Every structure is written in structure tokens, then in C-alpha cells.
Amino acid sequence: MTSHPSSARESANPSRILLAATPIGDSDDASPRLVRALQDADLIAAEDTRKLLALCSRLGIQVSGEITAVHEHNEHDRAARLVQRAQNGERIVLVSDAGMPTVSDPGYRVVKAAIEAGVTISALPGPSAVLTALAVSGLPSDRFCFEGFPPRREGERAKYLRDLARETRTMIFFESPRRVHDTIAAMAQSWGEERQAVICRELTKTHEEILRGTLAQLRGATDKEIRGEITIVVAGADEDVRAEDHVAAVLQLAAEGMRLKDAAKQVSAATGARANDLYRAALARGED
């Protein structure tokens, strides 16, 4: 097998930064390798130093190396320093608050800077909220995509969801418990109320909860206060899109003042359903 040029350069360079996955809830999920890495590190770059110290306390780890904060607000400035320390032969471990660094968490800029400098990037695999949620969801797992956090603003979120309307792979999202109801409602309006989805709350923790159902059912299940870490898994679009699943979106636009035919065309562009079918279905629903 032919080696990639960058791989050959990295293997000849002893400098290394280790991306270490941390438990997403249950501290017992920490691997012996993670414990050794934290104990032996010369420098630990943590998203939140207080959470790292709390984890070390629960694991009975005595950290002898330096601890520094690397988060979304300072990662750009800290990346070069971490790379330089690695080049000096120090053992660098980078962790986020939970799960694998760089997956909707800090770390990407550090990895990019390390690769450009010829510093080896290695991963210590472990817990992942993305894969854990997918595994327990019961939705197709042969093809999936991770979409991170949806936009917070209503207009940006609506456009974002429209762009995903024809995605046929299972989709995985993170969301704040304060916004989960609004996001599920927006998904139901954009993708149809009958789309199957799963809400995973507090995965691996004492109060773990898995809610399964249609987007309409989950919209109702989230209308009261929800707490904890939230991961949403949504089934991909069918290859053949049914107009009946998107009539509510057409009628909503019409209720906001848009001509019914224009509303049908807009929903058609977002979902792939035929505009004429949407128009006729909306007329029938309105008469009912």
C-alpha cells in the first residue's frame, strides 16, 4: 500500500497531539487508556478546566501536568502554542467536556494547525453521543449524517431545514433543551408531521430517556420543560415524497398571507413533492 506523503512525514516525527474522548455521562465509561493519558500528559488542553478536574476527581486521577483551557473563543490563538509544545516533545492531550473533540466541540483548529506543522494527530476513541443516539434510535444506521446544532434564529433555521428536506440519510442533531420543542415543531412543518424521529435525553446517565414517534407526536411530548443533554435522530426523506405529508406547511404559508399556489410551489421546492399535488391536497384539506 502506498503511503500518503503527509503520513510518512508524521511517522518520522515523534511529536504528537492526542485527541481523547471523555464520558458523555457515566464516568465508568472512561477507558484505562484515558486514565493513563491524563495521568501522563505534560499538558492537557480542556474545553472547561473545571469539568476536567471534576472528571479526574471522580476517576481518582492525580494530574501532574499543566492544564489549560482551549474553547471556541480562544482556540485560534492557543492552537499554535499547543503545536509548538508538541514539537518540543511534550505529551499533549486535548479533551472536550464530553465525547470526542472536534465533533461539534473545540479541536478542529488545533488539528488543522498540527497537520500543517507535521505534528502527528492521534485519537483515543471512546464515548460518542452521536453514535450512541444512532444505535438506540432504531432508525436506519447504514447511511447517516451528523448536522450539529440547528441555527437558533427562526428564519435561518427554516432555510436550513428546507435545504435538508430531500436528505435520504438518517440525520443526527444536537439541541438545547430550551429550543428542542421549537426545533421539532419546525422540522414537522418543513418535513411533514409523519416523519419518524427519536429524542435522546441524558444518554448513559441515571435519568436517560428515549422518546420515539412521529415529529407530530414528539412536538406534543416536548411542549413542557425538558432538561439535560439532547440528541435528536430523524429518519431521512423517502425517495418518493408524498404531498399529503406536507399539506400543513402549505396551509401555514397560506394562513400567513401567501397565495395557495405560491405556497405549494415554495413547499414543493423545499420538499420535492409535486406542486400540483400539494395544491390539490391543500384545497381538499381546506374544504374539509
Side-chain angles (χ1 to χ4, degrees):
M1 181 175 65
T2 302
S3 297
H4 190 280
S6 64
S7 299
R9 184 167 61 250
E10 289 177 353
S11 62
N13 192 332
S15 59
R16 185 181 75 151
I17 295 176
L18 181 66
L19 307 177
T22 54
I24 60 176
D26 192 330
S27 299
D28 289 342
D29 291 337
S31 68
R33 188 181 169 205
L34 173 62
V35 171
R36 291 194 300 269
L38 295 175
Q39 289 174 328
D40 297 343
D42 296 308
L43 174 62
I44 303 174
E47 182 179 4
D48 187 321
T49 58
R50 295 167 299 179
K51 290 185 178 180
L52 170 66
L53 291 172
L55 173 63
C56 289
S57 177
R58 294 194 298 272
L59 297 176
I61 297 174
Q62 186 68 40
V63 176
S64 58
E66 178 185 347
I67 300 176
T68 188
V70 175
H71 45 70
E72 61 177 326
H73 302 296
N74 70 2
E75 184 183 356
H76 182 270
D77 297 328
R78 296 285 171 89
R81 178 188 171 208
L82 294 180
V83 169
Q84 183 62 59
R85 297 276 295 261
Q87 289 176 319
N88 291 340
E90 295 186 67
R91 292 167 293 191
I92 311 297
V93 175
L94 191 150
V95 298
S96 59
D97 291 345
M100 178 62 72
T102 78
V103 181
S104 204
D105 279 330
Y108 166 74
R109 292 182 178 87
V110 174
V111 170
K112 191 172 186 296
I115 292 172
E116 291 173 352
V119 171
T120 297
I121 291 293
S122 183
L124 192 165
S128 165
V130 175
L131 296 181
T132 302
L134 176 65
V136 303
S137 70
L139 296 176
S141 58
D142 53 337
R143 297 177 67 245
F144 63 92
C145 57
F146 173 59
E147 292 293 331
F149 284 89
R152 297 184 180 188
R153 295 181 179 178
E154 183 177 349
E156 294 176 0
R157 183 177 58 206
K159 180 182 182 304
Y160 169 82
L161 295 177
R162 286 197 300 270
D163 290 343
L164 290 173
R166 302 187 188 186
E167 175 59 68
T168 58
R169 294 172 295 180
T170 298
M171 295 172 284
I172 306 169
F173 305 84
F174 289 159
E175 187 53 287
S176 160
R178 297 187 301 275
R179 294 189 295 273
V180 63
H181 174 73
D182 290 342
T183 294
I184 291 293
M187 288 177 174
Q189 180 174 345
S190 181
W191 300 339
E193 297 189 337
E194 297 306 309
R195 182 83 69 95
Q196 292 293 314
V198 179
I199 296 176
C200 302
R201 188 181 72 85
E202 295 289 84
L203 284 169
T204 78
K205 299 179 184 178
T206 302
H207 300 291
E208 176 180 284
E209 182 179 23
I210 311 294
L211 301 174
R212 299 182 177 87
T214 64
L215 287 172
Q217 291 170 332
L218 294 179
R219 181 181 57 199
T222 57
D223 60 355
K224 296 181 181 179
E225 182 181 14
I226 288 183
R227 296 180 180 180
E229 300 290 333
I230 302 293
T231 305
I232 303 172
V233 187
V234 185
D238 293 333
E239 295 292 346
D240 297 322
V241 183
R242 297 193 322 150
E244 290 77 7
D245 293 336
H246 302 281
V247 173
V250 176
L251 293 175
Q252 178 63 37
L253 291 173
E256 294 171 359
M258 185 178 291
R259 291 177 62 242
L260 192 61
K261 285 189 175 181
D262 293 336
K265 289 179 180 178
Q266 180 169 316
V267 174
S268 172
T271 64
R274 294 179 179 177
N276 287 338
D277 293 344
L278 288 167
Y279 178 71
R280 288 194 294 269
L283 281 178
R285 183 78 63 87
E287 291 174 358
D288 292 342

